[in-house]
Amino acid sequence: MRSFALVLVAVAATAAAGPSAATQEEAFVVKETVQPPSAWVKHSTPSPDHIIKLRIALPQPNFDILERLLYDVSDPYHENYGLHLSKEEVEMLVAPEEESAKAVAEWLETHGFMEEDLELSPAGDWVTIRVPVQLAEEMLNTKYHVYKHAAADEYIVRTTSYSLPAFLHSHVELVQPTTVFGSLKAFRSTIVLPDEVMKAATDASGKMLLSDAATNCTGTITVDCIKLLYNATDYSPDPTLNNSIGITGYLEEYANYDDLQLFYADQLPEALNSSFDYISVNGGQNNQSADAAGGEADLDVQFAFGLSYPIKNATFWSTAGSPPFIPDLGTPTNTNEPYTEWLDFVLGQDNVPWVISTSYGDDEQTVPEAFARRVCAGFAQLGARGVSLLFSSGDAGVGDGESDPADTSCISNDGKNATKFLAGFPASCPYVTAVGGTTLNADAEEVAVTRFFSGAGFSDYFERPPYQNDTVEAYLATLPNGTYDGLYNRTGRAFPDVAAFGDRYRVFWGGEPVLIGGTSASSPAFAGIVALLNDARLGAGLPPLGFLNPFFYSKGAAGFNDITVGNSTGCGTSGFNASVGWDPVTGLGSPNFGLLKELALAKNEDC
């Protein structure tokens, strides 16, 4: 592949006399137009000097080959199962055509951008520039405004439509930030300070009575509870293996080292004095003051790393990007969705943890489809390299998590203002594993959560992937004719894929024990179980599991505890129901580590 830098040099040599005829004469053509979500209200006009970090996506003409290879290396019945691609092989498959690189370089040159002004992704498929609003408006023939979120003190600089010269349309897939109105949030539904339930499970000093973990699990979830109820009590990972696990952190959520030690002293004394590696992304901080500790970050690292201990390669990424804009300050530090900053960073690393959990997301419809597809394609690149990506499915059921028919939050964002179920993103991406939430009822039966509602449904952007066709069709066949017709896309990618406990996790936050619930808890807990499965495979001389769904929906399906009680309430309805087999509330169910380990190690003829 000819480098983008060399293309720029060639273009610069021919552009010295001025813009090309094509750039001068071709009219602008609209590239994308969106309706701003109802929650975002036009607030003001940004300063013309306000700096935007503009990202230009060049087409990936060979992505279909990458996708096929991703499925091949992730299918336990394919001869290439586990033969994951290298970073360099993935980059070759997503590299743009030289013609596209040349066209974009020429366009940027006419607007005064030199080679040193550009940030290029390793594959050359993304070009990033820092540009004042006034110039961005000229380049994109648009007008930016400051929008304020009606329910939060949050501001962004966006436009609802942008254009490009006609000759560029085949060479540019999208430009952002322009039309993305997402509001990244943690899927954490509750934080409960020490209460009577916790006191019943602790001694006078506040220490958890670990010997009673089995009987206390209906009120408080500990590491011992997860291992006991998911059949992982007798497994000890090998710390000498090249195993690894990672947690993403956003929105100024900092994982506190002291809180982790308190957690270990409380629940896992053998892990005392072990920790994790902090990595800054895009200027992300590592504030270790007690009042800066993040409940979400503490929850994620304590249970993901506690369940996977003594696996030593544990990483927490702190990614900056909250809030994206404060009008009174004029110039923000970042105007992109933070998880794309993280994705760019990780794709450029030679070594990436084998399993990564993210407890954040947006409503799918607030993320323009072209942008969602491009981000999803980035997740596919990691999957092809052997990385398991887990995302919380959300805490709002099929949309708003409420059953009040008067609620207006389940409204389409297409200008029709129609009532509809709302999918979540990135959980709706077919190349990730979406994790729903469960809890234990008074009879110690695992059911779908009732204190919040596990994010569930069907994507409006992504078609149903082949690996889940049979299971989803089987579920849809059980629904009475006409059930929720028009409220969801029957042929869309269905989620969640799996589930795990998501209620009343005992976490140390700011030096104190608290209970935290939400699918924010489910995803890191499931990631801990996947790390144990990878440990078993690595110990047997096998590669890590990589992209999980093709295995889970086929050979691994027998390794789950089927959850048949509960609903994904929302949008004035009771939502979908949990049922025998896969369902859009708890997916395939919760993990039975012992069974999944046997299936992950078994030869196909033994299954």
Side-chain angles (χ1 to χ4, degrees):
M1 178 188 69
R2 190 178 181 189
S3 75
F4 203 100
L6 290 177
V7 172
L8 282 173
V9 172
V11 170
T14 60
S20 70
T23 305
Q24 288 179 322
E25 297 175 4
E26 289 210 43
F28 280 97
V29 176
V30 174
K31 183 67 174 177
E32 185 176 31
T33 300
V34 302
Q35 292 283 339
S38 58
W40 290 99
V41 180
K42 191 179 292 185
H43 176 271
S44 58
T45 300
S47 165
D49 298 323
H50 167 75
I51 300 298
I52 295 176
K53 189 175 179 181
L54 210 60
R55 291 162 44 82
I56 304 159
L58 281 64
Q60 300 168 331
N62 295 315
F63 180 77
D64 59 331
I65 300 175
L66 175 72
E67 182 185 48
R68 188 182 74 242
L69 292 173
L70 167 66
Y71 284 131
D72 287 351
V73 301
S74 307
D75 178 357
Y77 296 109
H78 196 281
E79 62 182 356
N80 291 332
Y81 181 55
L83 299 180
H84 302 121
L85 279 64
S86 68
K87 174 178 179 288
E88 292 73 22
E89 289 170 333
V90 167
E91 289 169 358
M92 287 179 63
L93 289 170
V94 299
E97 298 285 359
E98 184 175 313
E99 181 182 3
S100 294
K102 180 178 180 180
V104 171
E106 181 178 277
W107 175 59
L108 293 175
E109 177 74 17
T110 64
H111 288 286
F113 290 97
M114 308 303 292
E115 179 182 348
E116 59 269 21
D117 299 321
L118 311 185
E119 296 177 17
L120 308 178
S121 65
D125 56 332
W126 283 99
V127 181
T128 301
I129 56 175
R130 285 171 171 79
V131 55
V133 161
Q134 187 174 37
L135 181 54
E137 291 177 336
E138 175 188 328
M139 295 172 66
L140 303 177
N141 194 32
T142 190
K143 179 66 177 175
Y144 277 89
H145 290 90
V146 178
Y147 287 82
K148 182 183 186 299
H149 196 282
D153 189 25
E154 188 174 343
Y155 300 83
I156 56 177
V157 177
R158 294 293 188 267
T159 181
T160 58
S161 178
Y162 69 94
S163 302
L164 291 170
F167 81 96
L168 268 183
H169 276 241
S170 62
H171 303 298
V172 173
E173 193 169 305
L174 57 93
V175 180
Q176 290 293 349
T178 47
T179 55
V180 174
F181 282 85
S183 181
L184 188 69
K185 54 186 174 291
F187 291 133
R188 179 187 64 216
S189 64
T190 57
I191 297 180
V192 182
L193 297 178
D195 57 14
E196 294 306 313
V197 173
M198 294 187 69
K199 291 176 182 177
T202 59
D203 63 19
S205 67
K207 181 177 176 60
M208 175 61 65
L209 299 173
L210 294 177
S211 61
D212 295 332
T215 57
N216 289 327
C217 291
T218 55
T220 303
I221 293 296
T222 65
V223 169
D224 274 13
C225 287
I226 300 291
K227 289 184 176 180
L228 176 69
L229 295 162
Y230 290 160
N231 192 20
T233 56
D234 296 330
Y235 188 81
S236 296
D238 183 349
T240 67
L241 297 174
N242 186 30
N243 201 359
S244 51
I245 182 171
I247 292 293
T248 63
Y250 301 102
L251 308 181
E252 299 178 356
E253 283 271 348
Y254 307 119
N256 188 272
Y257 299 129
D258 290 340
D259 285 343
L260 180 63
Q261 296 308 311
L262 289 171
F263 175 81
Y264 283 157
D266 184 67
Q267 298 187 31
L268 203 68
E270 61 270 32
L272 275 168
N273 299 318
S274 67
S275 191
F276 55 86
D277 293 326
Y278 148 78
I279 296 178
S280 172
V281 178
N282 196 41
Q285 300 299 304
N286 187 27
N287 190 334
Q288 287 299 308
S289 62
D291 58 356
E296 178 62 57
D298 277 352
L299 161 68
D300 291 354
V301 301
Q302 286 170 24
F303 273 86
F305 302 159
L307 283 166
S308 59
Y309 180 83
I311 295 171
K312 293 182 178 179
N313 298 320
T315 299
F316 177 79
W317 293 277
S318 176
T319 302
S322 171
F325 180 77
I326 303 175
D328 293 341
L329 298 183
T331 302
T333 56
N334 177 40
T335 52
N336 282 319
E337 290 300 311
Y339 58 77
T340 62
E341 297 285 350
W342 173 84
L343 182 57
D344 289 348
F345 175 85
V346 171
L347 284 172
Q349 305 305 301
D350 292 326
N351 298 304
V352 181
W354 293 127
V355 57
I356 300 170
S357 173
T358 298
S359 296
Y360 301 78
D362 302 331
D363 289 339
E364 185 184 68
Q365 69 169 3
T366 68
V367 183
E369 182 173 350
F371 185 58
R373 289 187 176 278
R374 187 57 180 250
V375 172
C376 188
F379 297 142
Q381 294 179 49
L382 287 173
R385 290 171 58 178
V387 178
S388 301
L389 294 173
L390 286 80
F391 282 84
S392 300
S393 71
D395 296 341
V398 292
D400 60 10
E402 302 291 341
S403 56
D404 181 3
D407 191 280
T408 59
S409 61
C410 294
I411 301 298
S412 68
N413 190 38
D414 55 6
K416 299 178 181 178
N417 292 325
T419 300
K420 63 178 292 187
F421 293 165
L422 300 181
F425 182 80
S428 64
C429 171
Y431 311 125
V432 308
T433 301
V435 186
T438 66
T439 189
L440 290 178
N441 63 18
D443 297 323
E445 176 188 15
E446 190 174 7
V447 299
V449 286
T450 54
R451 280 157 47 83
F452 65 94
F453 300 97
S454 183
F458 297 78
S459 172
D460 287 314
Y461 291 169
F462 301 101
E463 65 182 16
R464 187 189 308 149
Y467 59 74
Q468 64 173 188
N469 263 335
D470 293 342
T471 51
V472 173
E473 283 296 334
Y475 175 82
L476 293 175
T478 68
L479 298 179
N481 288 337
T483 301
Y484 302 140
D485 279 358
L487 294 180
Y488 73 101
N489 175 21
R490 288 178 62 96
T491 62
R493 186 278 204 262
F495 70 96
D497 301 295
V498 296
F501 288 116
D503 201 14
R504 306 184 75 82
Y505 276 54
R506 180 175 168 93
V507 174
F508 277 79
W509 178 36
E512 298 292 334
V514 297
L515 297 181
I516 300 182
T519 55
S520 279
S522 307
S523 184
F526 202 102
I529 296 295
V530 174
L532 299 182
L533 293 172
N534 281 339
D535 183 85
R537 285 182 58 85
L538 292 169
L542 299 171
L545 287 167
F547 176 39
L548 297 166
N549 294 0
F551 169 69
F552 282 169
Y553 280 89
S554 59
K555 185 178 179 179
F560 289 89
N561 308 308
D562 195 8
I563 312 301
T564 60
V565 177
N567 293 80
S568 55
T569 300
C571 302
T573 75
S574 59
F576 297 108
N577 61 291
S579 65
V580 175
W582 180 92
D583 55 70
V585 185
T586 58
L588 295 165
S590 62
N592 182 319
F593 171 75
L595 292 178
L596 282 171
K597 178 171 70 71
E598 292 179 6
L599 293 166
L601 297 177
K603 296 179 180 179
N604 289 333
E605 56 267 26
D606 298 331
C607 296

